[in-house]
Amino acid sequence: GLDVPVAELFRHPTLGRLAAALEQIEAAAPAFAPPAAIPDGPVPLTPAQRRMWFLCEVAAGAASRSAYHVAGGIRLQAPVDRDALAAALTDLVARHGALRTRFLRMEAGDAMQEELAAADLPLDVADLRYDPDGARYAALAKTRAEAPFDLAVAPLARAL
């Protein structure tokens, strides 16, 4: 989690010396804070965002509405600290402005993007311990991956 210049690897060629240097770098590193330079108000869409907006707003059909979705899953066998996972998701959204961005329809029918200062990413929970063949998991994953987003509501992400 540290920004370490490559030169440090060469200055400290053993693991012991590198570990000591990393402790000093970590002690001197400022605490994480979300970037303060959030644009003041809506800004134009990028070309990629404009394509996504077009597919979601103009093109018909569920396939076009989920064309830009990136879905993934991990089956966890051990108990999960839900509070820690929820806190990690909150930090993730705070760190990445793209996750706090929403799309606004303008009066002329065009769209703009707006980065919010904060956005909640709720953690939904599904207990799949009693799904030995994975059928419930597969159905749930498919349904969630294909569900459309309301582009006007941030974050444009889901966690289950």
Side-chain angles (χ1 to χ4, degrees), residues 36-135:
I38 294 175
D40 187 24
V43 296
L45 299 178
T46 66
Q49 289 171 323
R50 189 168 300 287
R51 283 190 300 276
M52 182 172 54
W53 175 259
F54 175 79
L55 284 173
C56 291
E57 294 296 314
V58 178
S64 64
R65 295 194 60 81
S66 62
Y68 282 85
H69 291 193
V70 178
I74 300 170
R75 191 172 191 125
L76 302 173
Q77 300 297 327
V80 175
D81 182 338
R82 293 179 189 169
D83 293 336
L85 182 55
L89 292 171
T90 297
D91 289 348
L92 183 72
V93 172
R95 181 176 288 251
H96 297 284
L99 295 176
R100 299 186 315 273
T101 299
R102 64 183 181 155
F103 294 68
L104 303 173
R105 180 181 294 280
M106 305 312 284
E107 290 178 15
D110 200 9
M112 300 282 277
Q113 61 176 307
E114 180 181 45
E115 183 180 330
L116 304 176
D120 291 327
L121 178 56
L123 174 61
D124 297 332
V125 177
D127 185 347
L128 298 171
R129 287 179 289 186
Y130 306 106
D131 183 27
D133 63 353

Side-chain angles (χ1 to χ4, degrees), residues 9-28:
L9 298 173
F10 294 103
R11 281 191 203 110
H12 311 286
T14 67
L15 287 177
R17 287 172 52 189
L18 181 59
L22 291 179
E23 285 178 1
Q24 291 177 351
I25 291 171
E26 185 175 28

